[in-house]
Amino acid sequence: MWEKPCALLSGILAVVAPDWLLAHNEAEWVERYRHRIEESRLPKSEADRLVLAEVMGEDGWKILSAVFNPLAPAFLREVLAVQILR
């Protein structure tokens, strides 16, 4: 699942570029990632779990796409976590 890589990437970007991350944050991410996802917090049905996994994957791609936007600060693309997730 994307939860851990996204949390790691967001955490690192929050340190190296907090204003940039805040400007590229989506309101629903706060609620979605407020707590760690544990087995007990996952949706019960397999279909709902798949939907959640897809949403988290889309969130990760949104962050990475914003990082690789030519208007984003170039140093963001040099962050090791960004390079690994790329």
Side-chain angles (χ1 to χ4, degrees):
M1 260 230 262
W2 263 91
E3 183 233 352
K4 289 182 183 176
C6 282
L8 173 65
L9 179 59
S10 295
I12 291 170
L13 292 176
V15 171
V16 300
D19 294 334
W20 181 90
L21 182 61
L22 197 55
H24 292 84
N25 192 14
E26 295 190 12
E28 60 269 12
W29 291 356
V30 174
E31 184 61 34
R32 189 174 303 136
Y33 300 107
R34 178 181 309 198
H35 302 288
R36 286 182 46 172
I37 300 254
E38 310 262 343
E39 186 69 25
S40 62
R41 295 180 190 255
L42 288 173
K44 300 298 179 206
S45 77
E46 187 66 30
D48 289 342
R49 286 181 182 213
L50 181 58
V51 168
L52 180 60
E54 289 174 354
V55 167
M56 289 178 163
E58 290 172 5
D59 292 346
W61 281 115
K62 287 177 186 175
I63 293 172
L64 284 175
S65 295
V67 166
F68 283 94
N69 182 312
L71 299 177
F75 78 90
L76 294 177
R77 294 182 283 282
E78 298 171 12
V79 172
L80 182 59
V82 169
Q83 292 298 313
I84 291 170
L85 292 174
R86 182 176 170 209

